[in-house]
């Protein structure tokens, strides 16, 4: 008898800032199980953080810190030459900020997932990965560390004894070494929803993804990331949620504490 499959469906959220609006957070929340909430460096601000935490809790969605590089203009997607010490400090600062917002709302964090360039740098740079994992371990060791499947970041978390979630991406293409195709390349994103859904189902059910080089790569899919800022983001979230359920995949993250 096949083993029942369970996967978390996560989405980056809270990425509005001041008068600038980003994404479809409130509409997408019913179709995901965890939310990665920006902490003010690459996007977000205190009011947006509070609003997003409240919305996620209303929908019973697990909340996590989504720390990024201090680069509002570049949306945290441009590499910066930072040291491991700086990565540690940035992570502690942003994790602490969102943890305080969650506590003020009568809840607590479930996970931490780095954003953008910080995420991709930590996927291959062991020193940065260890610094981020150490920050989580020192501040809230009960959190789950989300990282690119099979990356330096998940290895660093596992080495410290943290709970880790190996993450895969619905709308991104992969390289032969298991890393994501850089966004600057024209084939980095998957625009066809059917192709993206098929890729997710194969990663979840078979543990494989087809690399851009034409061969299959083994991959572990504990959590699947969708992006909430595209023109068809809501429709895609609905379709992917339905496709996974139709395939008898249970959608579930760790239990989010209810608001007081």
């Amino acid at each position: 008898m096949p083993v029942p499959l369970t996967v978390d469906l996560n989405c980056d959220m809270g990425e509005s800032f001041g008068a600038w609006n980003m994404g479809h957070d409130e509409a997408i929340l019913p179709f995901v199980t965890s939310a990665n909430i920006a902490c003010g460096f690459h996007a977000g601000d205190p009011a947006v953080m509070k609003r997003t935490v409240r919305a996620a809790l209303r929908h019973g969605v697990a909340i996590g810190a989504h720390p990024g590089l201090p680069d509002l203009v570049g949306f945290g997607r441009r590499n910066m030459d930072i040291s491991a010490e700086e990565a540690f400090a940035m992570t502690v600062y942003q994790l602490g900020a969102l943890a305080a917002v969650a506590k003020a709302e009568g809840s607590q964090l479930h996970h931490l997932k780095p954003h953008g360039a910080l995420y991709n740098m930590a996927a291959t740079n062991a020193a940065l990965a260890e610094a981020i994992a150490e920050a989580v371990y020192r501040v809230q060791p009960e959190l789950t560390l989300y990282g690119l499947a099979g990356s330096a970041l998940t290895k660093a978390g596992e080495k410290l004894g943290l709970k880790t979630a190996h993450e895969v991406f619905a709308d991104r293409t992969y390289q032969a070494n298991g890393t994501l195709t850089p966004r600057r390349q024209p084939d980095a994103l998957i625009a066809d929803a059917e192709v993206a859904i098929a890729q997710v189902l194969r990663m979840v059910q078979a543990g494989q993804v087809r690399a851009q080089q034409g061969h299959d790569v083994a991959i572990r899919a504990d959590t699947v990331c969708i992006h909430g800022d595209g023109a068809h983001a809501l429709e895609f979230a609905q379709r992917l949620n339905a496709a996974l359920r139709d395939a008898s995949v249970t959608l579930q993250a760790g239990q989010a504490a209810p608001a007081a």
Side-chain angles (χ1 to χ4, degrees), residues 15 79 99:
E15 293 179 323
N79 286 5

Side-chain angles (χ1 to χ4, degrees), residues 83-93 131-132 134-136 138:
S83 67
E85 290 78 12
E86 288 172 311
F88 175 88
M90 289 177 190
T91 304
V92 168
Y93 185 97
I132 293 169
E134 181 71 21
V136 175
R138 296 272 196 97

Side-chain angles (χ1 to χ4, degrees), residues 238-260:
Q238 293 170 321
R239 291 177 62 183
L240 179 58
N241 182 297
L244 287 165
R245 293 183 185 279
D246 288 346
S248 298
V249 176
T250 299
L251 300 181
Q252 180 180 308
Q255 294 298 309

